[in-house]
Amino acid sequence: MVSALGMTAVLGGCGSTGSSDVTLRLVAADYGDSAANSSKKYWDNLVKAYESQHSGVKVEVSVYSWNDVDRKVKEMVDAGDAPDLAQIGAYADYAAAGKLYQASDLLSIRTQADFLSQLADAGEWKHVQYGIPFAASTRVLFYNKTLFAKAGITPPTTWSELAADAKALKGEGVKYPYALPLGPEEAQAETMQWLLSGGKGYTDDIGTYTIDSAENVQTFTWLKDELVGKGLTGPVAPGKLNRADAFAAFADGQVGMLNGHPTLIQQAAKKGVRFGMVPMPGRTGEARAAMGVADWMMGFKQHGHADQIGDFLDFVYDQKNVLAFSRAYGLLPVTGSASNTMTESDSAPDQALHPFLDQLPTSELYPVGKTSWAAVSAAVKKQIGQAVTPAGSPAGVLTGLQATATEADSDDVN
């Protein structure tokens, strides 16, 4: 992978913003898994390059783990001292509270136009963009090539083929024929991918929650009856299986198939697992859409500095910098220029991301533009596993989640 240390680009023609002695404070999330590849190194080098061309502007960056970063920003805002910039997991609450700059108040037209449209659209609250996409990923179906060869099967393209493959893998003694992580860590992701696979999702085309739609009930009924009920999801109840544990089991060669994002590539490769990746199957063919995920950059209005914030962000989103960050952390570029470059690249790290890039243009993201989403996501994490237990009722659980969503959404009409 390309080192973050060598990634900063010098933008020709950049100079001072015309203001002096301005210090911007940025709070950012850490995408690294060790001190050696911490995001702090990425930001240190990018800031050094930026400041060398902007003598009147300093940028102070504080990097926190994903366990802490959203809370840190909230504490700063609640204390009346918001950062100038935050790169975190959600923006809608701050937008609704009137604390953020609109993206158009900060970014050049060229930068705005370069964002992938579905990511820019997902950054809108009440049809105005406040959330600026920073990193993206999608999900594909990973499968263990060694286990598949042993069972004499090929990657599935429909649900019935997936169930048949899982049955064959179970017959060969595979511990988790299909790993179904509906545990509290990230159940909202696995749930969304299956809802999309069944033809629907959390919301309809105009953003209204439709969690208990007939199609969604049919999807979880199928999961309960055809996978979980037939013992094809492994020894741990899906409601108790977390995503990290499922990924670790895949890397240990104990899983036949599971939904995965780009970080699983390196995790499995380090353990010598031979794996392939295909689009998630749908009920009778390819899923309606893959699930996409984006993390967000935002600018707070409290201390002003809109011109300096915007100028710095134009530098952050330069193609070379976007590519370098994406390559360093195995994530997908959020801009069209960087995405096209990666798609056309024949380097091994870039090619490894091509299956995810292929899914991105038609991917569907969480309804992050709704301030109600946090409450809905928390409810899904807590309750969805019950839908596939032996005594569970898919319709009952989804109806309960719909009631939670409707209540949470009552003050957040788009």
Short mmCIF file of all heavy atoms in Angstrom, two decimals, residues 363-391:
data_model
loop_
_atom_site.label_atom_id
_atom_site.label_comp_id
_atom_site.label_asym_id
_atom_site.label_seq_id
_atom_site.Cartn_x
_atom_site.Cartn_y
_atom_site.Cartn_z
N SER A 363 -24.52 2.29 -5.26
CA SER A 363 -24.69 1.92 -3.86
C SER A 363 -25.73 2.81 -3.18
O SER A 363 -26.04 3.90 -3.65
CB SER A 363 -23.36 2.02 -3.11
OG SER A 363 -22.90 3.36 -3.07
N GLU A 364 -26.25 2.33 -2.09
CA GLU A 364 -27.21 3.09 -1.29
C GLU A 364 -26.65 3.24 0.11
O GLU A 364 -26.20 2.26 0.71
CB GLU A 364 -28.56 2.38 -1.27
CG GLU A 364 -29.65 3.19 -0.58
CD GLU A 364 -31.03 2.60 -0.81
OE1 GLU A 364 -31.36 2.28 -1.96
OE2 GLU A 364 -31.78 2.45 0.18
N LEU A 365 -26.69 4.45 0.64
CA LEU A 365 -26.12 4.72 1.95
C LEU A 365 -27.19 4.73 3.02
O LEU A 365 -28.39 4.85 2.74
CB LEU A 365 -25.40 6.08 1.95
CG LEU A 365 -23.98 6.12 1.35
CD1 LEU A 365 -24.02 5.99 -0.16
CD2 LEU A 365 -23.27 7.43 1.75
N TYR A 366 -26.75 4.58 4.27
CA TYR A 366 -27.66 4.79 5.38
C TYR A 366 -28.38 6.14 5.22
O TYR A 366 -27.81 7.08 4.63
CB TYR A 366 -26.89 4.86 6.71
CG TYR A 366 -26.13 3.64 7.11
CD1 TYR A 366 -24.79 3.75 7.51
CD2 TYR A 366 -26.73 2.39 7.18
CE1 TYR A 366 -24.07 2.65 7.94
CE2 TYR A 366 -26.01 1.28 7.60
CZ TYR A 366 -24.68 1.41 7.98
OH TYR A 366 -23.97 0.31 8.41
N PRO A 367 -29.56 6.29 5.79
CA PRO A 367 -30.24 7.59 5.73
C PRO A 367 -29.64 8.59 6.72
O PRO A 367 -30.28 9.05 7.66
CB PRO A 367 -31.69 7.24 6.08
CG PRO A 367 -31.60 6.00 6.91
CD PRO A 367 -30.42 5.23 6.36
N VAL A 368 -28.36 8.91 6.48
CA VAL A 368 -27.60 9.73 7.43
C VAL A 368 -28.05 11.19 7.45
O VAL A 368 -27.71 11.93 8.37
CB VAL A 368 -26.09 9.68 7.13
CG1 VAL A 368 -25.51 8.32 7.47
CG2 VAL A 368 -25.81 10.03 5.67
N GLY A 369 -28.81 11.61 6.44
CA GLY A 369 -29.31 12.97 6.43
C GLY A 369 -30.51 13.17 7.35
O GLY A 369 -31.04 14.28 7.43
N LYS A 370 -30.93 12.12 8.04
CA LYS A 370 -32.05 12.20 8.97
C LYS A 370 -31.49 12.19 10.40
O LYS A 370 -30.73 11.28 10.76
CB LYS A 370 -33.00 11.01 8.78
CG LYS A 370 -33.60 10.93 7.37
CD LYS A 370 -34.29 9.61 7.12
CE LYS A 370 -35.66 9.54 7.74
NZ LYS A 370 -36.63 10.46 7.13
N THR A 371 -31.86 13.19 11.20
CA THR A 371 -31.36 13.21 12.58
C THR A 371 -31.90 12.02 13.38
O THR A 371 -31.35 11.65 14.40
CB THR A 371 -31.74 14.51 13.29
OG1 THR A 371 -33.17 14.66 13.27
CG2 THR A 371 -31.10 15.72 12.61
N SER A 372 -32.94 11.40 12.89
CA SER A 372 -33.52 10.22 13.55
C SER A 372 -32.69 8.96 13.35
O SER A 372 -32.89 7.96 14.07
CB SER A 372 -34.93 9.97 13.03
OG SER A 372 -34.91 9.85 11.60
N TRP A 373 -31.77 8.96 12.39
CA TRP A 373 -31.07 7.74 12.05
C TRP A 373 -30.28 7.16 13.23
O TRP A 373 -30.21 5.94 13.41
CB TRP A 373 -30.16 7.94 10.85
CG TRP A 373 -29.24 6.77 10.61
CD1 TRP A 373 -27.88 6.76 10.62
CD2 TRP A 373 -29.64 5.41 10.34
NE1 TRP A 373 -27.40 5.51 10.38
CE2 TRP A 373 -28.45 4.65 10.20
CE3 TRP A 373 -30.86 4.77 10.22
CZ2 TRP A 373 -28.46 3.28 9.95
CZ3 TRP A 373 -30.87 3.40 9.96
CH2 TRP A 373 -29.69 2.67 9.82
N ALA A 374 -29.71 8.00 14.06
CA ALA A 374 -28.92 7.50 15.18
C ALA A 374 -29.77 6.62 16.09
O ALA A 374 -29.34 5.54 16.52
CB ALA A 374 -28.30 8.65 15.97
N ALA A 375 -30.98 7.06 16.39
CA ALA A 375 -31.88 6.29 17.25
C ALA A 375 -32.34 5.01 16.56
O ALA A 375 -32.43 3.94 17.19
CB ALA A 375 -33.08 7.13 17.65
N VAL A 376 -32.62 5.11 15.27
CA VAL A 376 -33.06 3.92 14.52
C VAL A 376 -31.93 2.90 14.44
O VAL A 376 -32.14 1.69 14.67
CB VAL A 376 -33.54 4.33 13.12
CG1 VAL A 376 -33.86 3.10 12.28
CG2 VAL A 376 -34.75 5.25 13.21
N SER A 377 -30.73 3.36 14.13
CA SER A 377 -29.58 2.45 14.06
C SER A 377 -29.35 1.74 15.39
O SER A 377 -29.11 0.53 15.43
CB SER A 377 -28.33 3.23 13.66
OG SER A 377 -27.19 2.41 13.65
N ALA A 378 -29.45 2.48 16.49
CA ALA A 378 -29.26 1.88 17.81
C ALA A 378 -30.31 0.81 18.09
O ALA A 378 -30.02 -0.25 18.66
CB ALA A 378 -29.30 2.96 18.89
N ALA A 379 -31.55 1.08 17.67
CA ALA A 379 -32.63 0.10 17.88
C ALA A 379 -32.41 -1.15 17.04
O ALA A 379 -32.63 -2.28 17.51
CB ALA A 379 -33.98 0.74 17.55
N VAL A 380 -31.94 -0.97 15.80
CA VAL A 380 -31.65 -2.13 14.95
C VAL A 380 -30.56 -2.99 15.58
O VAL A 380 -30.69 -4.23 15.65
CB VAL A 380 -31.24 -1.68 13.53
CG1 VAL A 380 -30.74 -2.87 12.72
CG2 VAL A 380 -32.40 -1.01 12.82
N LYS A 381 -29.50 -2.36 16.05
CA LYS A 381 -28.40 -3.10 16.68
C LYS A 381 -28.90 -3.95 17.85
O LYS A 381 -28.45 -5.06 18.07
CB LYS A 381 -27.32 -2.14 17.17
CG LYS A 381 -26.55 -1.44 16.08
CD LYS A 381 -25.53 -0.48 16.70
CE LYS A 381 -24.74 0.26 15.66
NZ LYS A 381 -23.75 1.18 16.25
N LYS A 382 -29.83 -3.39 18.60
CA LYS A 382 -30.30 -4.05 19.81
C LYS A 382 -31.32 -5.15 19.54
O LYS A 382 -31.35 -6.16 20.24
CB LYS A 382 -30.91 -3.00 20.75
CG LYS A 382 -31.35 -3.52 22.09
CD LYS A 382 -31.86 -2.39 22.97
CE LYS A 382 -32.29 -2.89 24.34
NZ LYS A 382 -32.77 -1.78 25.21
N GLN A 383 -32.14 -4.97 18.50
CA GLN A 383 -33.32 -5.82 18.36
C GLN A 383 -33.31 -6.78 17.17
O GLN A 383 -33.99 -7.81 17.22
CB GLN A 383 -34.57 -4.94 18.25
CG GLN A 383 -34.81 -4.06 19.46
CD GLN A 383 -35.91 -3.04 19.24
OE1 GLN A 383 -36.86 -3.29 18.50
NE2 GLN A 383 -35.79 -1.87 19.86
N ILE A 384 -32.59 -6.49 16.09
CA ILE A 384 -32.79 -7.24 14.85
C ILE A 384 -32.42 -8.71 14.99
O ILE A 384 -33.00 -9.58 14.32
CB ILE A 384 -32.01 -6.59 13.68
CG1 ILE A 384 -32.51 -7.14 12.33
CG2 ILE A 384 -30.51 -6.79 13.82
CD1 ILE A 384 -33.95 -6.80 12.02
N GLY A 385 -31.47 -9.04 15.86
CA GLY A 385 -31.09 -10.44 16.03
C GLY A 385 -32.24 -11.32 16.47
O GLY A 385 -32.28 -12.52 16.17
N GLN A 386 -33.22 -10.72 17.17
CA GLN A 386 -34.36 -11.49 17.64
C GLN A 386 -35.24 -11.97 16.48
O GLN A 386 -35.98 -12.95 16.63
CB GLN A 386 -35.21 -10.64 18.60
CG GLN A 386 -34.51 -10.31 19.90
CD GLN A 386 -34.22 -11.56 20.72
OE1 GLN A 386 -35.07 -12.45 20.85
NE2 GLN A 386 -33.00 -11.63 21.25
N ALA A 387 -35.15 -11.31 15.34
CA ALA A 387 -36.01 -11.65 14.21
C ALA A 387 -35.72 -13.03 13.65
O ALA A 387 -36.60 -13.65 13.03
CB ALA A 387 -35.88 -10.61 13.11
N VAL A 388 -34.50 -13.53 13.86
CA VAL A 388 -34.13 -14.82 13.25
C VAL A 388 -33.93 -15.91 14.29
O VAL A 388 -33.43 -16.99 13.97
CB VAL A 388 -32.86 -14.67 12.39
CG1 VAL A 388 -33.12 -13.74 11.20
CG2 VAL A 388 -31.67 -14.16 13.20
N THR A 389 -34.32 -15.67 15.54
CA THR A 389 -34.25 -16.73 16.55
C THR A 389 -35.38 -17.72 16.30
O THR A 389 -36.37 -17.41 15.63
CB THR A 389 -34.37 -16.15 17.96
OG1 THR A 389 -35.64 -15.47 18.07
CG2 THR A 389 -33.24 -15.17 18.26
N PRO A 390 -35.26 -18.95 16.85
CA PRO A 390 -36.31 -19.95 16.60
C PRO A 390 -37.71 -19.48 16.95
O PRO A 390 -38.67 -19.77 16.23
CB PRO A 390 -35.87 -21.12 17.50
CG PRO A 390 -34.39 -20.98 17.59
CD PRO A 390 -34.12 -19.51 17.59
N ALA A 391 -37.85 -18.74 18.04
CA ALA A 391 -39.17 -18.25 18.45
C ALA A 391 -39.43 -16.83 17.97
O ALA A 391 -40.46 -16.23 18.29
CB ALA A 391 -39.31 -18.31 19.97
#
